Each structure stands twice: as C-alpha cells, then as structure tokens.
C-alpha cells in the first residue's frame, strides 16, 4: 500500500480534527519525558487492513515512535492476536491512539466483510466488486481494503470508466445513442458499461457493442436468461441490494462480477484495542 | 445546521475525489444545455439527516440548481417518501448525485440507528452519547447526525474535556494523582471524567472529586452498585459494547449517560435513491 | 468548459504569483475609483481557446467587472479581431491583464497548433491525440485546448487507462505477461494499450488481445505493414516525433490515432493584447 | 537552486495531477519489490536546467530512490549524453518519469532558447531579459531557467518594481504625472521604468527622472536616436516582438536590456528520455 | 512545547510572506557554499519563550543548520545573554533571521509581561488568566507564552467552555434561562461561566449553579462583597481593564482568577538580535 | 483596502481557530432564528484601521449580516464614537465578535501609534517608515495600518529591495563588494540600501553608489555629520530604537526616513467594544 500525499493529508486532517489545540488530558498528567510500550490487539476474528496507515498516524505525531507490526494486511487473525507493538513517548502514543484505531477498525471492517462475501463464492467464477458508495475522503483507503479482503475494484470515480445508468439513458434518448456518443467522445482506453433492467435492454446494449452490461436489480431468473443472451460477447455485472444471503444465487447465474455497496457504506467496524503495557 | 468552512471543504474534497478531471459519461452524452428535474426518494423507513449538506453538494457544482427540500432533518419518513426535488442542468445533477447520496445515506443511517437506541430507552432518564469512534474528517457531520437522531454528544475531541482512561491512569500513578493534575493544569471550564472498572476505582474517583465517572464494561449488577455508591455526587456514564439488546438493562441501573461507539462507526447506510423524472 | 475547483485554484494561484503583496504601479498612480473599458485583440490569426478562463481571472479579482465575450472558444479569428471587451475598475483590469493573457495565449496557442495538424489530415480517418507531455498543473486546460482545436484526448493520467510502454515490458518479462497481468488486475473498464517497435511485437500484442497497439517511432513502411497485420482487431496509434511535415504520411498508413507531444509541450503562445480604450 | 516550499508544492500538485488515485499500469504488472536502474538521456543538443527539480520529483515519490546527476544545470550537452542515473523501486521510477521529464524538458527548453539569444549578442553589452509572460504557477522555475541560460531576470511580478505602461499612462494623465505619483507612493527601494513609443515620450520620461526607459516596439533607427537622447541618464530596455533574427540589430543601437517574451511563453521543450537499463 | 502541524504551517506561511520569490540580497552577494555561525543575544532582561519555534524556522529553511540552544523557555535572562548559537549556510541563516526573531520577540514579550503580573501577586492565591484577545493565527503560541510566563490559560476558543456574557444574556432572556439551556445542551464535560456586573446578577448566577462567575469591571469593593456572597460555591474570575497597577488590589478581594487581555494583545516585543560571528 | 485572497484566508483561519467545531455557548442558548443589532464603539481616542477587514469577518460567517460603517479607515475618533452597526442573526454576530475586534483593535492600535510618531514630526521633511518586524501572517494588514496612520512603508519582504546589513557585509567582504554584486545580480528595478554605523562606512556606501544609506543606531551628532557627507547624493534612513521621545531630534538631523520597529511589533491594541443593542 502506497502512503501517498492524499493519504498523508487525510491523516493530518484526522489528527487535527481529534487533537485540535491540544490533548488536555495527557498534557495535564503525563510528563513530557515519559515513555511507554503499547500493544494493539484484535478483539474479534477479522481480516486486517490498514496497518501501514495506522503506522503513518504515529509517524506523523512523532517520528521517534517505534512501530513493530506483528501481522500484515490481509492476514486473518483470531481474537486476542497482538497485531502491533508501539514504543515511544507516552503522550504521543495516547494522542494517536484513537485516530489510528478509527482507521484500522474501519478498513479491517471492510476487508472482513469483503472476505465473507468471498466465502460465499467458493468455486464460482464471479468476482466481488465495490462501488462508488464510499465515505467522502476515504475512497482510496476503502477500495484498498476491499482488495485486501479479496474483492476487485470497480472504476474509482466518474473519470476512469464510462458507466451509462438509467438517468443517463433517459437524458440521452436511449442506449444505442448513449453508447455511440460515448464511443465517439470518451478516450479510446475507456471501456463502456451499460445498466439494463430488461432483456430488451440487454439486447440493445449488446447491439450497441457495450463492453460490459450491468444487470440492475434483475430477478435471478432473468439474470440467467440475460447471461445466455450475452453469451460472452460482453462482460456482465450483477448489481442491486446484494447480500450475503443472495450473492451465491446470483453468482450461479454465470455473471462475471457482482457489485456490493454494503462493502464500503455499511461495513461494521472491526473491534481492535490499544493498551499501554 | 451550519455549513461552515470545514464542511464546505469536505464536500469540495469529496467532489474532487469522485469527479477528478471530469465525468466522462455525462460529458460524452449529455448536451451542456440539457436540463432535468430529479427526485430523491427514501427506499426504507429512516430518520433523515444531512439534507442541507446534500443541498450544498449541488450548490458547489452549480449555484443555479434549484433544490426544494420536501422534508427536514429529524423527520422520520417511510419508504417511498420524496425528500427533495432538484432542477437544473442535467450534467450538474448527475455529477453531484453520488456524493450527495453518500453523505445523506451515511448521516441518515446514523440518525436512524441513534433513534433505535432511543426507542429502547423510553421512560428512562439515561441519555445516549456518541464517542470519538468516528470516521476521519466526518466527525462534525456524524455528531450532528447523532443529535438529529435524538442522541447527545460527548466531547468533540481531545481538547474539550478531560477524560482519564485506563492508559492515562497507568501512566500517571493512579486515579487520585491523575485527577489532581487535571484539576491543576487543565483550564477551569473543563470537566473531568474518570474511567473505572471496579467499585474501588469508582470510590477513588469519587474521593478525587471527578465530575463524571465512567463505568467501563462493568457487569450490570456492578453498575447498579456503583450508581448507589456515587449517589448523585458525580454524573455517571456507562460504556463498552453497548447494543440495542443491552441498552435498556444498562439504563435501568440508573446511569445518566450511555455511550455507544456503534452509532458512528458501524451504522449501516440508509437507502436513498435519486431519479431523473 | 466547466470552471471547476481545480481551475479556480490554478487561477487564484497564478494571481497570487503575479500580484504578491500588491500591484505597486497601479496602487501608486490609478485612483481606486477610476473605471475604464479595455479590449482584447487578436494580433495574429488563431483558433481561440480559454475565453471563459480569462473571464474567471477578472471575476476573481473583482466580481463587478463586466466581461463581454465577442467570440467563443473554437472560433478561428484573424489579426485585429476584438475578442472581448471588459469594463470596470481600472486597477482591477490592470491587475488581471497579464494572468488572463498568459492563460489565453497559451491555450489559444495549443488550439491553433492542433488545428494546423488537423488541416494536414483532411480526408483521412486518423485522429490527432495529445499526450501526458503537459506542463505541471495545466493538464486540464491544455487538454481542453486540444479538443477546442479539433484534437482528441488520450488518457488523462496514469490512472484512467493502461498503457504498457517499453519500460514496463522490460520490467515485467514481455508483452504477453504484461497484458495478462493488466487484464487480471486493472478494473474491467480500463482498456489496455501496448507500445510496440517491431512487427513481432505487434503480433505479440495482438495475440495477447491488447485493445490498442501503439507503433512507437516506426518507419512509415513498417507502420503500413503493421496496420495490415492488425487488420482491425485492435485500434492502432502512431507515436514518436510527429511533425506537421510527417503527419499526413503517417495517417496514410491507415492508423486510427496519431499522438503529438508538440501540441502541449511546444506550442508557441498566440499573440493577444489588451488595451485600455 | 533552492527547492523551496512553493516548488515542492508545485511538484506535489503535478504528481497528484498525473497519478491521481494510482498508476494502474505499474500496479498491475510490476511487483512492489522490483528494483531497476534508469538513465536519462539528452536526445538533442541543449543547455540543461531543472536537474535538482527532477530529482525532487523522485524524492517525493520515494526518498529511497538514489539519483546520481551526471551533469549540472547550465551544462551544454550533446545528443546522447547521459544526464542522470536513477536507482530504486521500479514502480516509483515509472510513476515519476513523466512529471520529472515534463519539468526538465520545459526548463531545459527555456535555457536552451535563452542561450541562443545570448549567442546573437556576443560582444554586445546588451543583456537579455525575461518578462512576466510566463505560465501560471511556473514563474519561479521559468525565471530560474532563463538565468541558467545566461539571461537576466526582469522584475518577478507586479510587486517588485514600478513599470508604467501605456495603459497606466492613459489612466493617469501622462508620464510626468505617473512618475511623480510612483516616486511619492511606492517605497524608496523600487525603481521606476516607463514604457515609451516616441522620442517625445522618451524625453518626457527622462525629464520625469525615470530610472529605466523602455522602448516599446520602436523601429531600430528610432531606438538609436533614443539611446543618444538618454545619453546614460537612465537605463534603457528594448521590448516588443524580439526574435533571434532581430536581436543583434537591436543590441547594436546601444540599449542596456532587451526583453524577450518568447523565452518563457514559446520555448519548445528540449527532448529528453528516460530508459530502464 | 509540541511543534504540531498548525505551528509548522504558521511558520511556513511566515517564511513565504517574508521571502516570497527569493531573498534578493543574499542571492546577489553571498556565495551558496558560504557557511557562518550566528548568535542570538538578549538585548534586555526578559523571560524567554519560543526557542523551539525559532529553531523550527531554521529547520524548515535548511535541515542542515545546527541550532544549539543556550537557554530554555521560561528562563529569565539578563541583557547580553547568548540564548542560541546557529551554524550552517550563511544564506539560510540570513533568510530565517527575521521570521525567527519576530516569533521569539513576540512570544518572549508575552512571557515577560505575564511574569510582571505574576510578581504583583506574590503571596496571593489568585492566578493570572489570558483571554481570547489574541492575534489571528497566533493563539496557540501566545497561550503557550502565557503559560511559560507563569500564567494559566482560559478556554482556548468558543468551543471548549461555555462563557455566558452580557450579549448572550440579553439575547436569551436572563441568566437563569441561559444557564439552564447550557446545562441541557452543552456536553457534560463543559463548565459554565457567567459574566456578572452586579451583586444581584452574582446571586442569580449562583442560584443557577454556574460553575464559575466572572465579575466584569466591578469596583473593588463590590468584588469583595461578591466573593463573600459566592463563598466558595463557584470559582470566581475578575475581568476588565486589569493593569499592573490594579491587579494586586483585585487579588486581595479573594478572587480565584484575574484575566488580562493585555498579556496577548498589547505585550511589547522583547528585544533580541542575531549576529553573524 | 483590497480584501484579497491572502486576507480572506487569514480571516477564515482566524475564525476556524476561534470557533473550532462550534460556538457551544450560542448554540446552547440562542435560537437559530433570533436576530439582533449590535454596535461597535470606540472606548478611547484612536485612528481607525481595519473596518473593511472587520466587515469581511462577518461576511464570511453570514453574508446576510448587514454592516453599516459609521466611520472609515484613517478617521480619528473620540471615546464613545459608534464606528459600525451590524444587523443579522444573533448567533452569527456573536460568533464573529471576537475575531473582528481582535483584528480591528490591532490594526487601529498600529494606526494610532503611527499617528503619534507623525505628530512629533510636524514641520519636518522626514517620513516614518515601518520595518519587517511584523507578526507572522499579519504583514499585509500591519503595513496597511501604518499607511492609514500616516506612515510610509519600507520594502515588504526580502524580495522587493536590496538591503545590505552588517551581517551581509561581514559575509561578503565589505560594502564596496556587496553593492557591486547587488548591482550586477539583482534586477534593474531594485534599489540598493546599505546599513552603516560610522562615517567611514557612509563614505564607502556613497562611493559604491548606494541608492539609500541607513544610519544604524548612530548618535544624533554623527547622523548630522553623515547627512552633510551624503549631501543629497543618496536617500538616508535613520534606524534603531527610535521612540516617541527621540524621533524629533533624529528628524532634525535632516534624514529622509526614520524607521520604527515599535509601530508593528509593540503597538498596544486600541480599545473597541461590541454590544447587542
């Protein structure tokens, strides 16, 4: 994982948000010269994601903090596993604790949830995709966590792929027209995906030579038909209210991708604590 | 809700993250002069939060978009309720859709979850508090959503309240000592709260004149004892893995506050859609 | 052209760079209340680009300046054409003059040069592409100017298209391998282009199912062979030291695209002046 | 050359512009641990400028990249000269390549063009000046490149020198008046330069005790007269559509400075490549 | 003193403000390779504050500058005391001199003035408080300097304490009402202070259970009465035009705190020079 | 006074510093819809400076606030004068009060102190100059306030004038050498000033053709000699610990400028209050 300028600024911003003009508790009672060792522990089974990000939090507060990772992103760990050990100024450790945990718990929560979807797909070719349903400012980290959990990313934003949805189709006089305009105007390395709701629309998208066809909230049976209709001439993505209960049935229709908004907008935080030892 | 500089910048950042160098889909197929009307619909029962924030998203993209709110923050709405109607350039509407929904769904998700905790407390004096377990950059919005859902905020960050936790106690030689240092060094308008795990610690915090005493992960029975011990000489807060199933039992012990990390770190998004009409 | 946050910030930055703590000349001699009308004149034949951008420069300095555009982006104008007329505070007009002209001259220079390449291609199917050889911070404006001049954009950056160049091939053990990894790891809406220097490499890229094949600095004759080899199974792009003298010969080989670094890194400024009238 | 905060931010911005949420090509096919050595080669004769800037590009991406410069700014190198050798992570080298080259080619292009103007002035006292006709955000780097090429800088912006142009004169009732106001209001360390178009205006500027007199687009013969008229009582600068063909004739009139907008707004990029070895 | 992101940015901003596009004096006459040693000397008796901040100024300009502090914040030094010795590039030393001194002189001026107020209070329990009457952007440094001089901080801003002033009372229908609303709406760790002008108001604030009562511009005699009235049931703060001449009389009334706007808005700079040795 | 981007950002930063995540007092007790009128009153005699800046503070908080100025910058007002009247939301008025007053009091303090120095110079030709001894981030506002008070600005920073001080002279082998290098390397519109301590140094600076000669901490008698020695061949500036008591004597030596650090680093705040009416 590359800790680039965007991520560094996100962390700096999160620290400013939490610490503001100062941590009044540690300033009042912890001597500046006091040092400690702290340990981060998994308090549930989880797939870890964000360890480097958590390390960067402490590095920004005090580059002298030593951070030994005991695990790495992608590891599945059980309750009680020590995942990192930090040594340095007590004040710095306590100032960084909450921001580091907030990031680590959110990212591990996403990776863990993604891995649960993956488990449902054992033996199936379908891959789990994320969506643009992410939290403002966190997309890069959330999409990374999806990859760590075994998922595959969909396009990052509005700029790296053409995705023609119902609203676009309404506003541009039909699928055929919309795809033709995309082919003419978008640059030649951008694939074109079309959202469809009926078999007729699938056929129209196919005739327009869409690269990928999305089945939006289709019944399982219709999806199966649609996969047959497409017959490999385009990639196909199933989308819409996918849950752990329904994903396997969807996969069995033969789709290539299944996108799941829950992965990023509704993943519960994974429980991790930090304790001074 | 005041849309201050911090929130404006968060939205600007979210738009940059999503749109990057351009929305290739709308640019390719929607004429610049095309206008549309869109409607936002609740797709589940929820308590709304973030309508002004969503409005600001579209205002930043194009000040000419007209945004008529059909509901207001705090309203409980049922599936199918139209919550806002937007008119303006089609390109602008489509560019803002995802960011507006991401914010609105996250904030409404938090307000909705908070209201569910509140329902469990009918007839009890205990109030639901949030925590600092928020997502980086979103604390102001998330804490607002908790208030909209009927909860009360805890301190905002490390700077506006002294909260002495186990790690601080370990690092500063006991509760008595820690409270004394806080009283001496923190400014006179900051209250002091102490985390306790046993009745002995509650007694020590009480003797040290803590303003608030937190019961951290105590069994229900011990909390009941602790409330009696305190006998109104300090405010008391229950904390630790509180769920919808346990909160009423906790409240019945007589605590003043119950803090719930789930409100902000694990609230599932509320389902809202936007459709061109 | 959408004047988004990125462009507004670029302009704000350019104004700060030029004005710093103040325009000492106008402050010393022009009364604050003085108003004037100024006119912008083309001093050579050119294709205009950047009029909205120039307008935004003055809007940032003083929203009260009235800016009447006499032409629009994409217009071909002759020497002496009045392209805009500005009225408002004299100090504001003079403070904005240089930054507005610097942007307008650079963008019109690019549009004009692009249109010259286009003229060479009359009757050919090949389209002129830009490259990532742009000036830091100006890519969005430069790529817009290319479009205004009749060119088509290549990918915007490293993130919205897979382009496998010689350096990537060297570092990943051959074209076949590189394309396979891209297909597996990049998201499904990103097309894959491969740089080739020989007919063997073209064949390998074709076998690997590259979406686009770039002919890098190939002799005309080899390009003609290569186009035949590809036979429409992939798009083809010619690249490398393309000039006004060579572009038609290249087009006649039958390639789909010809990319030209000169468009953005070496376009001379178009000559435009602003005069108080 | 001092790589100050402004330049660091320009580079950070250029990298964000090019890399966005990630380099999809290298991420897909180059293993994170792969290392390489790359070499930068001059592909034409040029005067180098910007080597430290290019080095900073790679330093920002990965401080572990080793960058050995084989030449230094101001060196005139021939085609094929190796100018730098870089070792480090392959991904980092490829991520920085384009931004580093874009800066280096632009700056070397300016230095090279400046040196060509200098060559025309052998044996003349006149010095070549740049102008404020620079690209937004790049002024510091462009003016540095002019110095590297042997030119001298004019004022940096509107704030570090009084330059009274025709527009100012029109708006402040004549040269005499304008210079008097500047002398009274500008601080005492700012010199005053006046733009003139006729011998009468030169005389008026002289009488007003201007420190420098600019001859704007004067015919050669008039300039010769004007130099005699001034007779060393002020510095004189020739300005207006100066080219490589005309600069020597202008210099021979005896002016002190000749300013050339082309240096910064129309210098073609110098051709430099980077290859993994 | 923690040099956090906010302080680093303040310093970066101050350096950009002073250096702009370059230090023309040192660039013109000091060779880049020249090194020097400089010493900072106190030119009056003072309490030092800001040494780490001054060190950070030079570190930002050139991390290679060696900065040996000869004293530390809080030291009272006499005229002629060497307080720091700096070695490194001459250009860097001269570029940083003014910004470092401006900060050091301002902060030491505040610490010195605070210590003078403290001297007036020998033997009294009253403590000197600062206010929010600080200079924009400098609050963190100014409040730190107050602490270094022996003072105690009041709340940092509008967010970390409830302070109900006359304007609030007017706008919310009386003290009783205002305190009740604060108790209900502000979070439970925020203390509530009420400004009073008469004994009746003191009584009302007391009845409303204010945590702290401020006596605003009360005559000494009234303050004495008010202290008796309060009788330890709330903390009391005296405020309003406190000077070195009046502070002891105020303290003798028995108040807990005396707040002094002068500390931060009117402290004369302490005189410190830097000389190349 | 131009409220440019720099000043707008300074104000935004000051508001963020003071308000942080929210004004807990007004939020708790003032209804959102409450409106009020407030008046700003001078509480001492003063020269006003910063009224537009104070207006911008409220404009940033709430563009709907109506701000009627009753006086203008440069007006000398007596105690009790109403200087502005503000109407709008009570919350907004109270949120902006402190930041607006902090700026207005600081700037008016500087203008008032400057005017006092001016009064000492009645009938003398010498003009009062400010220095670079300003507070970080406030230079533009402070130098404006000096002008409002009747003073003249010295150079703004290190970039708009060559000022050769003792440290530069030591580091570059003498005055003659230093001036020669400045003349050669600095651009032609920058004047050159030399700091001198003895008559010999004055002579050397004169021989080197310095544009301005500074007399640094010279005794009055020596200054008188030095003025004679210079005899109008350069401008002369007196500098060093100038006070209200000494400035007239210095002026009587015949110097052109007297620079006073106190104006900006030690001006006491002017007393201004804001009251809800």
């Amino acid at each position: 994982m590359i800790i680039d300028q965007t991520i560094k600024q996100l962390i700096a911003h999160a620290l400013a948000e939490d610490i503001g003009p100062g941590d009044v508790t540690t300033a009042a009672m912890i001597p500046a010269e006091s040092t400690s060792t702290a340990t981060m522990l998994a308090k549930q089974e989880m797939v870890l994601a964000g360890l480097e990000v958590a390390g960067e939090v402490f590095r920004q507060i005090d580059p002298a903090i030593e951070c030994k990772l005991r695990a790495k992103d992608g590891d599945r760990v059980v309750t009680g596993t020590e995942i990192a050990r930090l040594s340095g100024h007590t004040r710095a450790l306590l100032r960084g604790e909450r921001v580091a945990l907030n990031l680590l718990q959110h990212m591990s929560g996403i990776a863990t949830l993604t891995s649960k979807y993956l488990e449902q797909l054992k033996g199936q070719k379908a891959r789990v995709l994320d969506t643009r349903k992410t939290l403002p400012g966190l997309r890069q980290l959330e999409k990374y966590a999806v990859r760590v959990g075994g998922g595959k990313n969909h396009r990052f934003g509005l700029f790296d792929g053409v995705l023609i949805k119902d609203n676009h189709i309404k506003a541009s006089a039909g699928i055929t027209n919309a795809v033709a305009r995309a082919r003419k105007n978008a640059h030649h390395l951008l694939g074109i995906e079309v959202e469809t709701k009926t078999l007729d629309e699938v056929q129209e998208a196919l005739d327009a030579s869409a690269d990928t066809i999305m089945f939006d909230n289709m019944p399982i049976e219709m999806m199966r038909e649609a996969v047959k209709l497409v017959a490999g001439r385009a990639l196909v993505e199933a989308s819409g209210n996918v849950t752990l209960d329904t994903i396997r049935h969807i996969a069995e229709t033969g789709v290539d991708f299944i996108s799941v908004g829950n992965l990023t907008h509704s993943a519960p935080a994974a429980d991790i604590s930090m304790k001074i030892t």
Side-chain angles (χ1 to χ4, degrees), chain A residues 125-144:
Chain A
K125 76 163 179 186
R127 300 203 56 181
V128 173
L129 294 182
D130 55 23
T131 64
R132 281 167 49 239
K133 297 178 179 175
T134 59
L135 290 166
L138 300 176
R139 190 169 289 172
Q140 213 165 330
L141 296 181
E142 293 182 344
K143 284 188 164 257
Y144 167 78

Side-chain angles (χ1 to χ4, degrees), chain A residues 7 10-12 31 34 40 59 68 76 103-104 109 112 114 117 134 144 176 178 181 208 225 231 250 257 267 272:
Chain A
I7 297 174
L10 172 71
I11 290 172
S34 158
M40 283 191 177
R59 201 153 37 243
K68 282 187 203 153
R76 178 176 295 275
L103 284 159
L104 193 52
T112 303
T114 304
Y117 277 92
T134 59
Y144 167 78
T176 309
R181 288 187 196 163
E225 290 288 311
I250 296 170
F257 304 115
I272 302 172

Side-chain angles (χ1 to χ4, degrees), chain A residues 1-11 53 140-141:
Chain A
M1 136 131 274
I2 294 167
I3 305 291
D4 69 9
Q5 212 48 36
T6 303
I7 297 174
K8 284 183 184 162
Q9 282 170 4
L10 172 71
I11 290 172
V53 175
Q140 213 165 330
L141 296 181

Side-chain angles (χ1 to χ4, degrees), chain A residues 42-95:
Chain A
K43 299 182 70 178
Q44 62 171 77
E45 186 181 334
M46 69 181 71
V47 175
L48 287 169
L51 285 167
E52 297 287 351
V53 175
E56 172 66 17
V57 170
F58 291 103
R59 201 153 37 243
Q60 286 199 9
I61 292 177
D62 182 353
I65 289 180
E66 192 188 9
C67 176
K68 282 187 203 153
L69 301 183
R70 304 293 200 193
K72 61 181 196 307
D73 282 1
D75 285 358
R76 178 176 295 275
V77 297
V78 296
T79 306
T81 307
E82 181 180 297
I83 59 184
R85 183 165 284 250
L86 299 141
S87 306
H89 285 109
T90 311
R91 284 186 176 183
L93 292 173
L94 293 175
R95 282 158 65 96

Side-chain angles (χ1 to χ4, degrees), chain A residues 14 38 45 49 58 78 88 162 170 177 275:
Chain A
E45 186 181 334
F58 291 103
V78 296
V162 175
K170 272 185 214 158
N177 208 12
K275 293 290 166 197

